């Protein structure tokens, strides 16, 4: 297979483990491919795409580009359209740009790798693109009640609309991130920064038997540290599973999941605590 280029785009992006995971996959399969991180701020994706040559094959997208990419892809999968966000762009040999969302199935796979508990109700902390994809993943797994908690409910309108459009028709409500009522749900998903995880918020999440923390750096976050003997799904779990699916799309080969996971674990272990 001829050498190709891939990369992860976002702002900030220097902390991303995606290059570690994808490069480990290339090494395990003997592929002479490149994968690098590129800082691309909001509004800069179209310009970056214009500068790519035929050697490029795939792009992983993180904040703040996931929704921006929707308008730039020639073809978009149903799950990306449902989420209203693209985290994967494949530059096809026919010149078309295909958009997908591997966060959604990646989140479902990450959860089911850690637990088989029924997840009928969920609270999602945050209202951005990642909150949307993880909320949809929980609906795929059977959640019929989804509560979206944000600082400003008006900023979650797009997420709420997407969750209500899920084919299963879940009940979706919004609430304030700040509050003292316990979140008596089957699973809490946090997509908010570690600095926003106040002792009060951590205490609200205590009743949930499953915690899903989408961050992996810094680690552990206050919520992750509070898990105790509860089921904890971590950000690295999500990152690995969605990266494995991206790897498949980019290369056409089955990704070496364990090699990619182990590389991510080593990289995280080598980072200084923040």
């Amino acid at each position: 297979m001829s050498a190709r280029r891939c990369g992860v785009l976002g702002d900030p992006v220097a902390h991303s483990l995606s290059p570690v995971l994808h490069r480990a996959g290339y090494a395990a399969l003997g592929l002479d491919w490149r994968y690098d991180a590129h800082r691309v701020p909001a509004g800069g994706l179209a310009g970056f795409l214009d500068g790519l040559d035929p050697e490029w094959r795939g792009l992983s997208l993180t904040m703040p580009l996931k929704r921006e990419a929707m308008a730039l892809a020639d073809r978009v999968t149903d799950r990306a359209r449902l989420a209203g966000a693209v985290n994967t762009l494949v530059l096809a040999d026919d010149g078309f740009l295909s958009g997908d969302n591997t966060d959604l199935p990646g989140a479902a796979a990450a959860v089911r790798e850690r637990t088989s508990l029924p997840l009928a109700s969920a609270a999602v902390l945050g209202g951005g693109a990642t909150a949307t994809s993880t909320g949809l993943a929980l609906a795929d797994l059977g959640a019929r009640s989804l509560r979206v908690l944000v600082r400003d409910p008006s900023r979650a309108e797009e997420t709420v609309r997407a969750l209500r459009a899920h084919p299963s028709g879940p009940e979706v409500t919004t609430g304030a991130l700040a509050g003292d009522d316990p979140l008596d749900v089957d699973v809490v998903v946090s997509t908010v920064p570690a600095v926003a995880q106040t002792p009060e918020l951590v205490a609200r999440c205590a009743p949930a038997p499953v915690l899903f923390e989408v961050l992996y750096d810094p680690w552990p976050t206050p919520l992750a540290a509070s898990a105790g003997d509860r089921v904890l799904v971590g950000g690295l779990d999500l990152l690995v599973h969605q990266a494995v699916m991206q790897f498949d799309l980019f290369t056409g080969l089955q990704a070496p999941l364990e090699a990619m996971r182990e590389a991510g674990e080593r990289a995280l272990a080598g980072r200084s605590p923040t």
Side-chain angles (χ1 to χ4, degrees):
M1 183 180 291
S2 60
R4 303 296 292 267
R5 292 189 66 183
C6 299
V8 57
L9 315 182
D11 185 21
V13 76
H15 70 287
S16 176
L17 278 181
S18 291
V20 171
L21 302 184
H22 285 264
R23 290 171 185 168
Y26 300 158
L29 298 187
L31 296 180
D32 184 23
W33 284 37
R34 290 176 56 190
Y35 189 107
D36 301 295
H38 302 267
R39 180 178 173 271
V40 178
L45 182 57
F48 186 90
L49 293 173
D50 287 341
L52 301 185
D53 60 36
E55 187 181 13
W56 283 83
R57 173 62 175 172
L59 299 172
S60 310
L61 305 178
T62 184
M63 289 174 48
L65 304 175
K66 293 182 181 181
R67 286 175 172 159
E68 189 173 319
M70 284 289 296
L72 300 176
D74 300 305
R75 297 181 288 235
V76 176
T77 62
D78 289 341
R79 63 191 178 199
R81 190 172 291 107
L82 180 62
V86 163
N87 81 323
T88 307
L89 288 172
V90 180
L91 289 76
D93 292 334
D94 61 7
F96 281 87
L97 191 63
S98 298
D100 202 349
N101 187 313
T102 64
D103 282 335
L104 203 165
V111 170
R112 279 303 172 227
E113 183 179 46
R114 298 295 178 189
T115 181
S116 60
L117 289 172
L119 304 173
S121 59
V124 180
L125 312 183
T130 303
T132 303
S133 57
T134 51
L136 290 169
L138 293 174
D140 281 348
L141 294 177
R144 296 296 171 261
S145 172
L146 298 169
R147 188 176 178 189
V148 180
L149 303 180
V150 288
R151 281 176 294 214
D152 179 3
S154 66
R155 298 181 63 184
E157 291 177 358
E158 198 168 346
T159 292
V160 170
R161 184 163 54 248
L163 296 180
R164 286 177 175 162
H166 189 276
S168 67
E171 177 187 5
V172 182
T173 58
T174 59
L177 202 58
D180 54 11
D181 57 314
L183 298 177
D184 189 12
V185 293
D186 295 325
V187 55
V188 168
V189 179
S190 176
T191 71
V192 300
V195 294
Q197 297 177 14
T198 63
E200 293 76 17
L201 181 60
V202 171
R204 288 185 74 189
C205 299
V210 179
L211 287 177
F212 186 175
E213 170 58 86
V214 305
L215 299 180
Y216 60 83
D217 189 8
W219 188 266
T221 64
L223 273 170
S226 75
D229 60 358
R230 292 180 289 167
V231 174
L232 175 62
V233 184
L236 184 59
D237 296 325
L238 171 59
L239 185 68
V240 168
H241 280 284
Q242 68 82 25
V244 160
M245 296 174 186
Q246 288 182 335
F247 188 101
D248 294 348
L249 290 171
F250 295 163
T251 68
L253 303 173
Q254 184 173 348
L257 186 151
E258 290 307 321
M260 295 169 70
R261 189 205 308 273
E262 289 169 7
E265 290 173 343
R266 286 194 303 270
L268 275 184
R271 291 186 176 182
S272 300
T274 57

